Every structure is written in C-alpha cells, then in structure tokens.
Amino acid sequence: MCDQTFLAITFGPCDSCSENRPLMNLYIKTEPINYCSLCMEIMACQGLASGETLKSLKAESETLRKKLEEERKKLHDVELEKVAEKAEALGELNMKTRRTLKGHGNKVLCMDWCKDKRRIVSSSQDGKVIVWDAFTTNKEHAVTMPTTWVMACAYAPSGCAIACGGLDNKCSVYPLSLDKDENLAAKKKSVAMHTNYLSGCTFTNSDMQILTSSGDGTSALWDVESGQLLQSFHGHSADVLTLDLAPSETGNTFVSGGSDKKANVWDLRSGQNVQSFDTHDSDINCVKYYPSGDAFASASDDSTCRLFDLRADREVSIYSKDSIMFGAASVDFSLSGRLLFAGYNDYTINVWDVLKGTRVAILFGHENRVSSLRVSPDGTAFCSGSWDNTLRVRQEGRGVGRELKQGGTTLYGSGPRAAVMSSERD
Amino acid sequence: MTSNSNVSNMRRLVEQLKLEASLERIKVSQAAAELQQYCHQNAAKDALLVGVPAGSNPFREPRSCNLF
C-alpha cells in the first residue's frame, strides 16, 4: 500500500449534491466515490427497512424522546449544591492584574496559551494575530490575516505553530520560527475549508490534526499536512460557535455549542453525536471541559453559565444571578475545577464556586466586553481578552503559606470575612 | 427527491435517539460526589485558589536592580 501514489481530491464538487465542499475519500469496490460529508452520512441511512414508513419513524422518535426524558429524571436524586454543603467555604479571592497586553488596534476576539505557560496568541477584528511573551509583554510575532474578524486562534502543542481563521471560512496554520524577521505570512498553510465563518479551532494532541467549528453548522477534523477532511460532525441545526477537546486522559471526544442552544458531545473517530444537552435559553458562546473530563461548563447569551455532567447525562448546576443581565461569552475552570471564571458582555468577569453555585468575586478592569478567557496550562494565572483591545493576565494575590483547613466551615486565609464583591480597578 | 431525503433524515434522527437512549447513566448524587472529590484532591495545587509562592512566581512585579 505504501508504494502506491494516487491523487485524492480534498475539495471540489460532491458527486451527490454537486456543491463545492471538502470531500471524504471513499472507495466502493476500488471505485473512488467523492461525496461531501453530509451526503456520506445520508447515504448510510437511505431506504426504508421492511415495515417502516415515515409515520412509523416519527412515532418511534417520539417514544424514544419520552423514554430519554424519563431515564434522565429517574437519576436526578439530589442537587450538586446539596452535596457540596459539606465542602469548605472559599475565602475572599484577591485577583490582581499582573500584565496588560496592549498592541491590538481593534477588538480582541480570541486568545490561547502556549503549553510553555508563558506565550499567548491573540487574534482581533482587524485581522491581526499577535504572539506575546506574557512575562515580558513583548510581542514576539505578528501576522496580518487577509480577513477581518479573526474569531478563532490556537497554539500548537509543540509551541511551533499557530492556527487562526474567521470570516475567510478557513483555518490557516502558520509555523513560528525563531527568526523574528521572517515573513510569517509566506509560510501560511490553509488547512480547513468551511462554507461559513470559522468560529473555533484547536489542535488535537499533536500538531498534525486540527478540529474546527463553523457558522455552517458543522465541526470538522482535518489533517494539517494534506488539508484532508478526516471526519465531519453534523447535528447542530444552526451555527456552531464553540468547541472544546476532552482532556487527553479521558479519551477521544469533544463538546460543541451552537446558536441552536444545544451542546453536543461527539466521538472524534466515528463522528457520532453521543450526547446532547439543550437546557440553555439562548446561543451557547463557549464550552469548556471540567479538568477531570467528566463534565463541562457552558456560557450563553441567556446570561447564565451551566455545568453538565457527562455520566449523569444532565445539567447539574446553573450559575446565574438576577443582577446579571448580559450574555456570558467565555468560561474556563481553575486547575482543581473549584472555580469557574466567566467573562460577560457587561465588561466584567464573574468567578463562581463550581460546587456551591455561588459567586465568589466580580473582577472589573476591562472597558468593553470580555470576549475570551483562558486559564494558563499550569493554572497559575488566567488571561482575558476584550473588545477594549487589550488582554489582561491575572493571578490570585494572596501568597502561599495559608493552610487549607480540613472540614468545617473555616475560610481559606485569615482576616475579617469580607463581602462577596472584590473589585479591582487599575 | 424530497420524500427520500425526509425518510433519510427521519432514519438518522431515530438512529441518533436510539444511541442517546441506550447510554449508561449514573445518579446525580454519585456524579456530584466525584466532582467534589476531584476538587478536593487538587485544591492544594490550584494556584488561582490558594495563591502562588512569591519566590517562584514568574508574573511577580519586576523588581528594580540596583547597580553599584
């Protein structure tokens, strides 16, 4: 097999629907069939089995839906907050801004940390993608994309490349070189091609594959070297706005959220939608896995964040307040999963106690919407990007030396019990 | 043909629902307990929760160097 070479068409007219799409390369009895991913899935479901009619299928789907609801209800024996009553209360948090990264000329739309816990890539509305050294605030690389609204960017696991895309409907990979004067744009590689804007992208465990989500309603897995579409994920009925890959120890799945208010969990290899959650009342802007991989959080335009447990197959907590009326754009967990940081369209970041469901801090400082928020790989800091053109790196300001007290309701750290709000203005 | 594609779509939906209905689920009490346990086990290492040791914090405010 290895000494054969053959031309595989990766993009072109589909043999079935005639649309220009990324093609799946399938061979039926040595004949190449060039179908787009959607037609391929439909092909698997063609025709009726004996005794089936459209009506019987409809009835069957209704019974199955009812059964799903019943099964889920049966297992709802207690609320997470009740179980967490015995957990230690969190003391007052003292988040300090350590670095402010200035240099973007327009709204920051997305950011990602490098695995070295030091570098950050960020992308903006004006098409600029910048790689920063967060320790020194120096800009190490800058690329101008041939498109505006670069809504997605990601750092490769090796730290040697970045991926980004937006209104150009593509995801492009730029290898980063040590030579600062090198023209990054010349080495650009177009990997993913969607039929609508790119909303999210992430490398999988290596630099070799990229997972993308798009306004065309699909997510897709691509081979970086060849640009080949490896797997496609259909199931959302509107734009897919966000995706997150499961932590590597827990296997090959990812979760996506969309304008159809649904969060779907997918198997990377088979393309199957294995679980679906639809309790949000509006678009889901961001999804993030809990560090253990057993749950994920979502941020939505309905101004709430929610926690969904994958093994219980249901929503287990909701993080909301009547006073929070603006949509949440981005979420991430702290290392232990106890804290949930969420960036909102009212320019604030709310920090939630994941277990107890209460808010433990509000962080001010940004002068426009917080569009993107990520905790660093070692959990020592988190970075937020905003429509005010800046990024801020923040840390917990208390020094270590305060012991965690076991049991009871003792607070972390000493000092008078403070109010919930901890404002921080620069 | 639309009737064929309706049928295909319905079949896809039914297959999808069958898959979701056959999932093995656990009780919320057990799931919640395990989430809590994970938090507890990792709380001491969580620098955003307990703080960063001042000596090893790369984001500390840079101190000025005195050159004599």
Side-chain angles (χ1 to χ4, degrees):
Chain A
M1 188 72 190
C2 294
D3 51 4
Q4 277 185 332
T5 51
F6 49 93
L7 183 65
I9 309 168
T10 55
F11 189 87
C14 167
D15 288 345
S16 165
C17 63
S18 317
E19 305 246 352
N20 271 338
R21 292 231 165 100
L23 301 174
M24 308 286 295
N25 295 119
L26 177 68
Y27 286 80
I28 296 184
K29 292 187 182 155
T30 75
E31 282 299 307
I33 308 275
N34 291 316
Y35 274 20
C36 70
S37 53
L38 189 57
C39 291
M40 188 109 115
E41 278 195 35
I42 293 178
M43 180 168 73
C45 292
Q46 256 164 16
L48 286 165
S50 67
E52 277 182 2
T53 60
L54 196 59
K55 204 170 173 187
S56 76
L57 284 174
K58 274 208 175 104
E60 199 179 350
S61 78
E62 275 315 303
T63 354
L64 283 170
R65 268 193 227 277
K66 286 214 178 79
K67 182 174 173 209
L68 255 179
E69 264 191 62
E70 277 170 29
E71 292 291 315
R72 282 174 166 169
K73 268 211 183 99
K74 266 195 261 175
L75 297 165
H76 189 199
D77 52 348
V78 75
E79 295 290 335
L80 174 61
E81 285 90 66
K82 196 96 183 72
V83 171
E85 268 171 12
K86 296 171 254 158
E88 303 105 73
L90 295 175
E92 184 197 355
L93 290 184
N94 185 17
M95 294 283 166
K96 288 192 165 23
T97 297
R98 295 293 190 206
R99 301 286 189 274
T100 303
L101 304 178
K102 294 187 188 176
H104 275 295
N106 213 317
K107 307 176 173 74
V108 175
L109 302 177
C110 187
M111 51 99 11
D112 191 19
W113 287 89
C114 178
K115 283 214 159 70
D116 69 2
K117 308 160 255 191
R118 165 176 192 154
R119 287 177 178 79
I120 289 176
V121 62
S122 60
S123 63
S124 117
Q125 184 197 337
D126 62 2
K128 288 247 177 13
V129 177
I130 299 180
V131 176
W132 312 80
D133 177 340
F135 292 175
T136 61
T137 74
N138 287 342
K139 300 177 199 39
E140 294 201 338
H141 302 271
V143 177
T144 305
M145 294 273 287
T147 179
T148 56
W149 287 92
V150 187
M151 291 173 254
C153 63
Y155 228 118
S158 67
C160 297
I162 54 168
C164 48
L167 285 186
D168 56 353
N169 301 356
K170 294 187 205 165
C171 184
S172 308
V173 173
Y174 292 84
L176 297 175
S177 74
L178 293 168
D179 180 1
K180 303 281 166 74
D181 296 325
E182 182 153 14
N183 183 7
L184 277 188
K187 291 247 171 117
K188 167 181 159 175
K189 198 176 175 49
S190 268
V191 173
M193 291 212 244
H194 280 279
T195 50
N196 208 327
Y197 65 90
L198 189 84
S199 55
C201 65
T202 180
F203 285 83
T204 59
N205 295 332
S206 74
D207 288 16
M208 301 287 101
Q209 293 180 353
I210 286 191
L211 190 58
T212 58
S213 61
S214 166
D216 65 11
T218 70
S219 308
L221 182 67
W222 309 82
D223 176 82
V224 173
E225 195 52 51
S226 62
Q228 177 100 26
L229 173 67
L230 298 173
Q231 187 59 266
S232 184
F233 307 90
H234 297 271
H236 280 287
S237 51
D239 303 19
V240 184
L241 300 176
T242 175
L243 57 78
D244 190 35
L245 203 54
S248 39
E249 309 82 52
T250 48
N252 284 309
T253 59
F254 75 96
V255 60
S256 65
S259 294
D260 57 357
K261 313 174 197 171
K262 285 203 181 140
N264 292 333
V265 181
W266 309 84
D267 181 297
L268 267 174
R269 294 222 178 87
S270 66
Q272 282 281 10
N273 175 5
V274 293
Q275 281 174 278
S276 187
F277 304 89
D278 61 357
T279 51
H280 269 294
D281 299 319
S282 187
D283 300 13
I284 296 177
N285 296 315
C286 186
V287 287
K288 269 304 155 52
Y289 269 92
Y290 186 79
S292 70
D294 291 331
F296 69 91
S298 58
S300 164
D301 276 348
D302 65 9
S303 76
T304 70
C305 296
R306 295 174 201 234
L307 184 69
F308 299 89
D309 189 288
L310 293 171
R311 290 163 322 142
D313 191 35
R314 62 177 298 124
E315 175 190 306
V316 293
S317 197
I318 177 169
Y319 308 101
S320 66
K321 262 185 163 358
D322 290 340
S323 54
I324 300 175
M325 294 174 296
F326 285 79
S330 192
V331 277
D332 204 357
F333 286 98
S334 69
L335 193 85
S336 64
R338 184 67 192 266
L339 297 176
L340 183 70
F341 296 89
Y344 291 75
N345 293 343
D346 64 1
Y347 315 174
T348 66
I349 294 171
N350 287 304
V351 187
W352 300 89
D353 180 331
V354 170
L355 300 178
K356 294 189 187 282
T358 53
R359 179 172 62 184
V360 292
I362 311 181
L363 306 175
F364 299 93
H366 277 298
E367 291 161 17
N368 207 321
R369 291 190 187 190
V370 179
S371 54
S372 182
L373 194 156
R374 297 266 182 122
V375 171
S376 71
D378 61 353
T380 54
F382 75 92
C383 180
S384 55
S386 162
W387 280 19
D388 69 4
N389 308 359
T390 70
L391 296 111
R392 277 166 188 254
V393 180
R394 288 179 228 237
Q395 284 188 314
E396 171 50 42
R398 292 170 299 174
V400 163
R402 307 206 161 164
E403 295 283 303
L404 287 178
K405 304 264 166 71
Q406 301 293 320
T409 53
T410 319
L411 306 174
Y412 295 138
S414 56
R417 191 172 188 136
V420 162
M421 261 178 65
S422 127
S423 82
E424 178 226 317
R425 290 178 197 276
D426 302 56
Chain B
M1 283 197 254
T2 35
S3 59
N4 265 347
S5 75
N6 275 348
V7 164
S8 299
N9 286 336
M10 277 313 292
R11 279 204 85 203
R12 277 180 74 206
L13 185 63
V14 166
E15 289 305 317
Q16 180 59 33
L17 287 170
K18 274 190 190 155
L19 187 77
E20 291 184 26
S22 65
L23 197 67
E24 289 278 321
R25 293 179 191 84
I26 65 171
K27 287 196 178 154
V28 175
S29 52
Q30 188 190 343
E34 293 188 20
L35 288 178
Q36 188 172 333
Q37 188 185 31
Y38 187 90
C39 282
H40 186 73
Q41 278 172 344
N42 293 286
K45 293 183 271 172
D46 188 347
L48 287 169
L49 201 56
V50 301
V52 193
S56 64
N57 183 5
F59 284 108
R60 253 181 84 69
E61 295 310 313
R63 295 248 169 103
S64 55
C65 294
N66 287 325
L67 292 172
F68 292 101

Coordinates of all heavy atoms in Angstrom, one line a residue, chain A residues 320-366:
Chain A
S320 N -26.0 31.8 37.9 CA -26.7 32.9 37.4 C -27.2 33.8 38.6 O -27.2 33.4 39.7 CB -28.0 32.5 36.7 OG -28.9 31.9 37.5
K321 N -27.5 35.1 38.3 CA -28.0 36.0 39.3 C -28.9 36.9 38.6 O -28.7 37.2 37.4 CB -26.8 36.8 39.8 CG -26.3 36.3 41.1 CD -25.3 37.3 41.6 CE -24.9 37.2 43.1 NZ -25.5 36.3 43.9
D322 N -30.0 37.4 39.3 CA -30.9 38.3 38.6 C -30.2 39.6 38.2 O -30.6 40.2 37.2 CB -32.0 38.7 39.6 CG -32.9 37.5 39.9 OD1 -32.9 36.6 39.0 OD2 -33.6 37.5 40.9
S323 N -29.1 39.9 38.9 CA -28.4 41.2 38.6 C -27.5 41.0 37.4 O -27.0 42.0 36.8 CB -27.6 41.6 39.8 OG -26.7 40.6 40.2
I324 N -27.3 39.8 36.9 CA -26.5 39.6 35.7 C -27.4 39.5 34.5 O -28.2 38.5 34.4 CB -25.6 38.3 35.8 CG1 -24.7 38.5 37.0 CG2 -24.8 38.2 34.5 CD1 -23.9 37.2 37.3
M325 N -27.4 40.5 33.7 CA -28.4 40.5 32.6 C -27.8 40.4 31.2 O -28.5 40.4 30.2 CB -29.2 41.8 32.6 CG -30.0 41.9 33.9 SD -30.8 43.5 34.0 CE -29.4 44.6 34.2
F326 N -26.4 40.4 31.2 CA -25.8 40.4 29.9 C -25.2 39.0 29.6 O -24.9 38.2 30.5 CB -24.6 41.4 29.9 CG -25.1 42.8 29.8 CD1 -25.6 43.5 30.9 CD2 -25.1 43.4 28.5 CE1 -26.0 44.8 30.8 CE2 -25.5 44.7 28.4 CZ -26.0 45.4 29.5
G327 N -25.1 38.7 28.3 CA -24.6 37.3 28.0 C -23.2 37.1 28.5 O -22.4 38.0 28.6
A328 N -23.0 35.8 28.7 CA -21.6 35.3 29.0 C -21.0 34.8 27.8 O -21.6 34.1 27.0 CB -21.7 34.2 30.1
A329 N -19.7 35.3 27.6 CA -19.1 35.0 26.3 C -18.0 33.9 26.4 O -17.7 33.2 25.4 CB -18.4 36.2 25.7
S330 N -17.5 33.7 27.6 CA -16.3 32.8 27.7 C -16.2 32.2 29.1 O -16.5 33.0 30.0 CB -15.1 33.5 27.3 OG -14.0 32.6 27.1
V331 N -15.8 31.0 29.2 CA -15.6 30.4 30.5 C -14.4 29.5 30.6 O -13.9 29.0 29.5 CB -16.8 29.4 31.0 CG1 -17.9 30.1 31.5 CG2 -17.2 28.5 29.8
D332 N -13.8 29.4 31.8 CA -12.8 28.4 31.9 C -12.7 28.0 33.4 O -13.0 28.8 34.3 CB -11.4 28.9 31.5 CG -10.4 27.7 31.1 OD1 -10.8 26.5 31.3 OD2 -9.3 28.0 30.7
F333 N -12.2 26.8 33.7 CA -12.1 26.3 35.1 C -10.7 26.5 35.6 O -9.7 26.6 34.8 CB -12.3 24.8 35.1 CG -13.7 24.3 34.9 CD1 -14.2 23.9 33.7 CD2 -14.6 24.3 36.0 CE1 -15.5 23.5 33.5 CE2 -15.9 23.9 35.8 CZ -16.3 23.5 34.6
S334 N -10.6 26.7 36.9 CA -9.2 26.7 37.5 C -8.7 25.2 37.5 O -9.5 24.3 37.2 CB -9.3 27.3 38.9 OG -10.0 26.4 39.8
L335 N -7.5 25.0 37.9 CA -6.9 23.7 37.9 C -7.6 22.6 38.6 O -7.8 21.5 38.1 CB -5.5 23.8 38.4 CG -4.5 22.6 38.2 CD1 -3.9 22.8 36.8 CD2 -3.5 22.5 39.2
S336 N -8.2 22.9 39.8 CA -8.9 21.9 40.5 C -10.3 21.8 40.1 O -11.0 20.9 40.6 CB -8.8 22.3 42.0 OG -9.5 23.5 42.2
G337 N -10.8 22.7 39.3 CA -12.2 22.7 38.9 C -13.1 23.3 39.9 O -14.3 23.3 39.8
R338 N -12.6 23.9 41.0 CA -13.4 24.5 42.0 C -13.9 25.9 41.6 O -15.0 26.3 42.0 CB -12.6 24.6 43.3 CG -13.4 25.2 44.5 CD -14.5 24.2 44.9 NE -15.5 24.8 45.8 CZ -15.4 24.7 47.1 NH1 -14.3 24.1 47.7 NH2 -16.3 25.3 47.9
L339 N -13.1 26.6 40.8 CA -13.5 27.9 40.4 C -13.8 27.9 38.9 O -13.2 27.3 38.1 CB -12.4 28.9 40.6 CG -11.9 29.2 42.0 CD1 -10.7 30.1 42.0 CD2 -13.0 29.8 42.9
L340 N -14.9 28.7 38.6 CA -15.3 28.9 37.2 C -15.2 30.4 36.9 O -15.8 31.2 37.5 CB -16.7 28.4 36.9 CG -17.2 28.5 35.5 CD1 -16.4 27.4 34.6 CD2 -18.7 28.2 35.4
F341 N -14.3 30.7 35.9 CA -14.2 32.1 35.5 C -15.0 32.4 34.3 O -14.9 31.6 33.3 CB -12.7 32.4 35.2 CG -11.8 32.3 36.4 CD1 -11.2 31.1 36.7 CD2 -11.5 33.4 37.2 CE1 -10.3 30.9 37.8 CE2 -10.7 33.2 38.3 CZ -10.1 32.0 38.6
A342 N -15.8 33.4 34.3 CA -16.7 33.7 33.2 C -16.6 35.1 32.8 O -16.8 36.0 33.7 CB -18.1 33.2 33.5
G343 N -16.4 35.4 31.5 CA -16.4 36.8 31.0 C -17.7 37.1 30.4 O -18.3 36.3 29.6
Y344 N -18.2 38.3 30.7 CA -19.5 38.7 30.2 C -19.5 40.0 29.3 O -18.5 40.7 29.2 CB -20.4 39.1 31.5 CG -20.7 37.9 32.3 CD1 -19.7 37.3 33.1 CD2 -22.0 37.3 32.3 CE1 -20.0 36.1 33.9 CE2 -22.3 36.2 33.0 CZ -21.3 35.6 33.8 OH -21.6 34.5 34.6
N345 N -20.6 40.2 28.7 CA -20.8 41.3 27.8 C -21.0 42.6 28.6 O -21.0 43.7 27.9 CB -21.9 41.1 26.8 CG -21.7 40.0 25.9 OD1 -20.5 39.6 25.7 ND2 -22.7 39.5 25.2
D346 N -21.1 42.6 29.9 CA -21.2 43.8 30.7 C -19.8 44.2 31.2 O -19.7 45.0 32.2 CB -22.2 43.7 31.8 CG -21.7 42.6 32.8 OD1 -20.6 42.0 32.7 OD2 -22.5 42.4 33.8
Y347 N -18.8 43.7 30.6 CA -17.3 44.1 30.8 C -16.7 43.4 32.0 O -15.6 43.7 32.3 CB -17.1 45.6 30.9 CG -17.8 46.5 29.9 CD1 -17.7 47.9 30.0 CD2 -18.5 46.0 28.8 CE1 -18.3 48.7 29.1 CE2 -19.2 46.8 27.9 CZ -19.1 48.2 28.0 OH -19.7 49.0 27.1
T348 N -17.5 42.6 32.7 CA -17.0 42.0 34.0 C -16.6 40.6 33.8 O -16.9 39.9 32.8 CB -18.0 42.1 35.1 OG1 -19.1 41.2 34.8 CG2 -18.5 43.5 35.4
I349 N -15.8 40.1 34.8 CA -15.6 38.7 34.9 C -16.1 38.2 36.2 O -15.8 38.8 37.3 CB -14.1 38.4 34.8 CG1 -13.5 38.8 33.5 CG2 -13.8 36.9 35.1 CD1 -12.0 38.7 33.4
N350 N -17.0 37.3 36.2 CA -17.5 36.7 37.5 C -16.8 35.4 37.8 O -16.6 34.6 36.9 CB -19.1 36.5 37.4 CG -19.8 37.7 37.4 OD1 -19.7 38.5 38.3 ND2 -20.6 37.9 36.3
V351 N -16.5 35.2 39.1 CA -15.8 34.0 39.5 C -16.8 33.2 40.3 O -17.3 33.7 41.3 CB -14.5 34.3 40.3 CG1 -13.8 33.0 40.5 CG2 -13.6 35.3 39.6
W352 N -17.1 32.0 39.9 CA -18.1 31.2 40.6 C -17.5 30.0 41.3 O -16.5 29.4 40.9 CB -19.1 30.6 39.5 CG -19.8 31.6 38.7 CD1 -19.4 32.2 37.6 CD2 -21.1 32.3 39.1 NE1 -20.3 33.1 37.1 CE2 -21.4 33.2 38.0 CE3 -22.0 32.1 40.1 CZ2 -22.5 34.0 38.0 CZ3 -23.2 32.9 40.1 CH2 -23.4 33.8 39.0
D353 N -18.1 29.7 42.5 CA -17.8 28.4 43.2 C -18.6 27.3 42.5 O -19.8 27.3 42.5 CB -18.2 28.6 44.6 CG -17.9 27.3 45.4 OD1 -17.8 26.2 44.9 OD2 -17.6 27.4 46.7
V354 N -17.8 26.5 41.7 CA -18.5 25.4 40.9 C -19.4 24.5 41.7 O -20.5 24.2 41.3 CB -17.4 24.6 40.2 CG1 -18.0 23.4 39.5 CG2 -16.7 25.5 39.2
L355 N -18.9 24.1 42.9 CA -19.7 23.2 43.7 C -20.9 23.8 44.4 O -22.0 23.2 44.3 CB -18.8 22.5 44.8 CG -17.6 21.8 44.2 CD1 -16.7 21.2 45.4 CD2 -18.0 20.6 43.3
K356 N -20.7 25.0 45.0 CA -21.8 25.6 45.8 C -22.7 26.4 44.9 O -23.8 26.8 45.3 CB -21.2 26.4 46.9 CG -20.5 25.5 47.9 CD -20.2 26.4 49.2 CE -19.3 25.6 50.2 NZ -20.1 24.7 51.0
G357 N -22.3 26.8 43.7 CA -23.1 27.5 42.8 C -23.2 29.0 43.1 O -24.0 29.7 42.5
T358 N -22.3 29.5 44.0 CA -22.4 30.9 44.4 C -21.3 31.7 43.7 O -20.2 31.1 43.3 CB -22.2 31.0 45.9 OG1 -21.0 30.4 46.3 CG2 -23.3 30.4 46.7
R359 N -21.5 33.0 43.6 CA -20.4 33.8 43.0 C -19.4 34.2 44.1 O -19.9 34.6 45.2 CB -21.0 35.1 42.4 CG -20.0 36.0 41.8 CD -20.6 37.1 41.0 NE -21.4 38.0 41.9 CZ -22.1 39.0 41.4 NH1 -22.1 39.3 40.1 NH2 -22.9 39.8 42.2
V360 N -18.1 34.1 43.9 CA -17.2 34.4 44.9 C -16.4 35.7 44.6 O -15.8 36.3 45.5 CB -16.1 33.3 45.2 CG1 -16.8 32.1 45.8 CG2 -15.4 32.9 43.9
A361 N -16.5 36.2 43.4 CA -15.9 37.5 43.1 C -16.4 38.1 41.8 O -16.8 37.4 40.9 CB -14.3 37.4 43.0
I362 N -16.3 39.4 41.7 CA -16.5 40.1 40.4 C -15.2 40.8 40.1 O -14.7 41.5 40.9 CB -17.6 41.2 40.4 CG1 -18.9 40.7 41.1 CG2 -17.9 41.6 39.0 CD1 -19.9 41.8 41.0
L363 N -14.7 40.7 38.9 CA -13.5 41.4 38.5 C -13.8 42.5 37.5 O -14.4 42.2 36.5 CB -12.5 40.4 38.0 CG -12.2 39.2 38.9 CD1 -11.3 38.2 38.2 CD2 -11.6 39.6 40.2
F364 N -13.4 43.7 37.8 CA -13.5 44.8 36.9 C -12.2 45.1 36.2 O -11.2 44.5 36.6 CB -14.1 46.0 37.6 CG -15.4 45.8 38.3 CD1 -15.5 45.4 39.6 CD2 -16.6 46.0 37.6 CE1 -16.7 45.2 40.2 CE2 -17.8 45.8 38.2 CZ -17.9 45.4 39.5
G365 N -12.2 46.0 35.3 CA -10.9 46.4 34.7 C -11.0 46.6 33.2 O -10.5 47.5 32.6
H366 N -11.7 45.7 32.5 CA -11.9 45.8 31.1 C -12.9 46.9 30.8 O -13.8 47.1 31.6 CB -12.3 44.5 30.5 CG -11.2 43.6 30.2 ND1 -10.1 43.9 29.3 CD2 -10.9 42.3 30.7 CE1 -9.3 42.8 29.3 NE2 -9.7 41.9 30.1

